[in-house]
Amino acid sequence: MEIKVQKSELLKKITLGVNIAASKPSTLPILNNLLLETQKDGKLKIIATDMEVGISVLFSVEVLQEGSITVPARKFFDIVKELPEGLVEITVTKNNTVNIKAGKSSFKIMGLDKEEYPKLPEFSLEDAVEMEQAVIKESLSLTSFAISHDETRYVLNGVLLSIQGKQSRFVATDGRRLAFYKKEIKTANPKNIEVIIPAKTVHELLKLLGWEGTVKIIHTQNKVIFYFEDTYLTSSLIEGSFPNYDQVIPKEEKTQVQVNREELLQAVRRASLLTSPEAPALKFDFIKNKIIVSAKTPSMGEAKEDLLAEIKGEEITIGFNPNYFLDVLKNLSDEKINISLTSPDKPGLIKGREGYLYVIMPMQLN
């Protein structure tokens, strides 16, 4: 194999696969490699997989001699990253030696034959569901921070994606908070989808998605594929039943609050400086036309800040985990948010833009 390609283009493409291939030690050493394979039409295909998540990227290069090779992902990435700008020449010689040249720099690394490299699942675009990239990117950004990292609750280690007709729903929960986002899709899709996408796939997907264009989603057996013309991401799914999230969303509202999101974010950030493992909760007093945010740790001291808010209904004092509050406030961009409360021992509900809900369990105040 012999190809020539611009360094910037090559680096951009291998960046997409390096974290998948080099993410964890594997019983199959070849999984730590990227597969480089020339195509008939003067293109190079780069594939990375860890058997759970896989990515395939296709782009134009100058093909001088067709062929294929797998190269150690992290080492190849590190070398290409440090090469001088301009044209890179990659040649594979006997014994799978890979020669990399750019400017006055040259490297030799050992590759492996592609024979043992696992194949990515095959798929048909016939039953694909089409969605705008921006809708998926926004929805994942506003829900994925609530994914559980507790591996004993495996079914919560991802984001639920449900598509029915012209409506999409994205849901994530760790049992102590839940993020939910419902969005309309421009065109009704012929096939309904309900899948739990693992956290690692969500992370890779957020890197791939842009704010323009569409992506096709194919659900086949226990896999999901996100297809972007010359690039596609494949992923195993989390199997099992996602909890009934409708039951978790509070229906009763005794106290309704409207407040400036950025002002509340800053107040929570400052007050949380004086929380501690012994006193982890922030105290929120919702009274008349203001919110008082405070923290008190006997061994450290106390913090208190009040801010203006529109409050209707009963006055209430309640404790919340500051980190759960910060996660939602920093990911939303709405100027104002609404908070609904029922009692100090019932979950609070934060409402952002249309279709967005965030349920947060209260904490006991010391």
Side-chain angles (χ1 to χ4, degrees):
M1 182 177 105
E2 188 178 352
I3 59 165
K4 286 182 181 177
V5 56
Q6 288 295 325
K7 176 216 165 160
S8 56
E9 189 64 13
L10 180 62
L11 185 62
K12 193 163 73 177
K13 301 303 182 187
I14 56 178
T15 300
L16 297 173
V18 68
N19 289 332
I20 295 172
S23 63
K24 56 187 178 190
S26 173
T27 48
L28 271 178
I30 202 161
L31 292 182
N32 294 317
N33 284 20
L34 296 173
L35 168 61
L36 313 183
E37 190 168 35
T38 60
Q39 306 292 292
K40 290 266 186 281
D41 53 0
K43 289 189 173 179
L44 180 71
K45 185 185 274 187
I46 299 182
I47 293 175
T49 181
D50 65 2
M51 301 298 279
E52 288 174 15
V53 184
I55 191 168
S56 169
V57 185
L58 195 64
F59 64 110
S60 296
V61 298
E62 187 185 341
V63 179
L64 302 169
Q65 189 181 347
E66 291 184 5
S68 63
I69 190 70
T70 79
V71 291
R74 179 61 61 188
K75 192 54 70 185
F76 185 59
F77 172 78
D78 289 343
I79 289 169
V80 174
K81 190 176 162 194
E82 297 303 332
L83 288 174
E85 293 304 322
L87 210 57
V88 178
E89 195 173 331
I90 298 170
T91 315
V92 180
T93 55
K94 59 184 179 183
N95 305 327
N96 295 325
T97 304
V98 183
N99 299 289
I100 306 160
K101 288 183 185 174
K104 293 178 182 175
S105 302
S106 65
F107 291 85
K108 274 186 186 180
I109 56 172
M110 291 309 298
L112 289 170
D113 198 274
K114 78 157 192 175
E115 291 312 308
E116 288 176 39
Y117 204 81
K119 287 184 165 55
L120 295 186
E122 292 182 359
F123 58 91
S124 158
L125 292 173
E126 207 172 294
D127 290 326
V129 168
E130 193 163 9
M131 277 183 78
E132 292 165 82
Q133 290 190 42
V135 169
I136 306 176
K137 193 176 177 83
E138 179 193 27
S139 302
L140 290 177
S141 300
L142 290 175
T143 53
S144 59
F145 56 80
I147 289 174
S148 171
H149 301 291
D150 178 356
E151 290 185 12
T152 62
R153 306 184 75 186
Y154 182 62
V155 79
L156 304 183
N157 294 168
V159 173
L160 175 75
L161 164 60
S162 171
I163 299 171
Q164 295 183 347
K166 289 188 78 171
Q167 193 181 83
S168 69
R169 290 178 172 215
F170 291 76
V171 192
T173 180
D174 61 8
R176 292 179 293 276
R177 35 81 179 272
L178 178 143
F180 169 95
Y181 197 23
K182 180 171 71 179
K183 287 281 281 187
E184 288 291 307
I185 304 173
K186 278 189 175 173
T187 50
N189 283 295
K191 192 178 176 189
N192 292 344
I193 285 182
E194 186 152 304
V195 293
I196 307 170
I197 305 167
K200 181 175 181 180
T201 307
V202 170
H203 179 70
E204 294 302 328
L205 202 47
L206 282 167
K207 290 193 289 190
L208 277 174
L209 290 160
W211 294 107
E212 289 176 8
T214 60
V215 59
K216 289 184 169 70
I217 304 168
I218 303 106
H219 178 207
T220 160
Q221 293 166 324
N222 67 335
K223 300 270 184 195
V224 65
I225 292 130
F226 296 89
Y227 179 79
F228 308 74
E229 291 185 4
D230 285 343
T231 302
Y232 64 89
L233 186 76
T234 76
S235 171
S236 298
L237 293 167
I238 293 175
E239 293 184 38
S241 295
F242 201 79
N244 184 343
Y245 52 89
D246 274 333
Q247 286 182 334
V248 179
I249 298 167
K251 307 295 183 278
E252 198 182 356
E253 300 180 355
K254 288 186 179 171
T255 309
Q256 287 131 21
V257 183
Q258 188 176 67
V259 62
N260 180 286
R261 180 194 59 83
E262 184 62 31
E263 287 175 12
L264 182 59
L265 170 65
Q266 297 306 334
V268 170
R269 197 173 260 159
R270 286 188 281 266
S272 66
L273 295 171
L274 286 187
T275 55
S276 69
E278 312 94 73
L282 268 194
K283 182 181 171 192
F284 292 79
D285 291 291
F286 296 91
I287 50 172
K288 295 223 169 134
N289 292 318
K290 66 179 177 180
I291 304 170
I292 301 169
V293 184
S294 58
K296 191 174 185 178
T297 303
S299 59
M300 288 162 64
E302 53 189 276
K304 185 175 170 185
E305 185 159 342
D306 57 316
L307 57 154
L308 292 173
E310 284 179 46
I311 297 176
K312 291 176 187 167
E314 299 173 12
E315 293 187 355
I316 186 171
T317 296
I318 190 168
F320 287 117
N321 180 320
N323 293 322
Y324 292 171
F325 239 87
L326 289 171
D327 279 344
V328 67
L329 294 176
K330 67 188 180 192
N331 279 287
L332 281 170
S333 57
D334 309 57
E335 187 188 351
K336 291 187 183 296
I337 57 158
N338 293 292
I339 304 169
S340 302
L341 303 159
T342 312
S343 72
D345 59 350
K346 295 271 174 67
L349 179 64
I350 295 174
K351 299 176 188 174
R353 62 202 59 183
E354 189 185 344
Y356 186 74
L357 301 172
Y358 184 72
V359 181
I360 178 169
M361 297 299 288
M363 290 182 80
Q364 255 186 320
L365 291 164
N366 292 350

